[in-house]
Amino acid sequence: DVQLVESGGGLVQPGGSLRLSCSASGFSFSSYAMMWVRQAPGKGLEWVSGITRFPTTAYANSVKDRFTISRDNAKNTLYLQLNSLKTEDTAMYFCAKGRDFQSINEYDVRGQGTQVTVSS
């Protein structure tokens, strides 16, 4: 079975940083694009960032220049570095597996999520 397990969330002050991790298993991690999506309280899912197998990366305008996505294929792990956090970044963050090697905004499996709360 495909499994995605996120970690690294927490409470941080505005301007702070966090590093999210997603441990993947049950599929050939290096062969697939991966992405992060988030859901703020009372809102729908928002695509945050994606990375292909090559890897090439893409970001939502709301997080560009503040967040960095990366992957370690040897460890089957996806990362998201969150810098200069804002209160509006408060959300549950989910790791998701792309449908193929370059699908960075369509996923077929999503993890359980890790909560990020930005508050003073």
Side-chain angles (χ1 to χ4, degrees):
D1 287 356
V2 174
Q3 286 199 325
L4 301 170
V5 180
E6 302 94 335
S7 62
L11 173 64
V12 62
Q13 293 186 339
S17 297
L18 283 173
R19 188 194 198 199
L20 308 184
S21 299
C22 171
S23 178
S25 62
F27 67 104
S28 180
F29 178 77
S30 62
S31 299
Y32 286 87
M34 298 293 295
M35 69 201 76
W36 291 93
V37 297
R38 67 185 180 184
Q39 187 166 25
K43 297 189 176 180
L45 276 175
E46 176 189 17
W47 179 84
V48 175
S49 180
I51 183 167
T52 68
R53 64 169 289 188
F54 298 116
T56 54
T57 60
Y59 300 90
N61 287 336
S62 58
V63 307
K64 196 173 294 185
D65 299 326
R66 298 189 298 121
F67 292 7
T68 303
I69 191 171
S70 62
R71 64 192 301 162
D72 185 335
N73 291 334
K75 295 183 178 180
N76 288 352
T77 302
L78 178 72
Y79 301 101
L80 187 68
Q81 178 68 42
L82 291 65
N83 295 331
S84 303
L85 281 161
K86 305 176 181 180
T87 55
E88 51 264 44
D89 294 318
T90 294
M92 184 72 78
Y93 283 72
F94 301 93
C95 162
K97 172 184 166 289
R99 295 186 179 278
D100 56 38
F101 67 97
Q102 61 182 1
S103 235
I104 61 168
N105 52 20
E106 291 186 9
Y107 66 85
D108 51 16
V109 179
R110 194 181 78 193
Q112 294 297 308
T114 185
Q115 177 68 39
V116 172
T117 302
V118 185
S119 175
S120 55

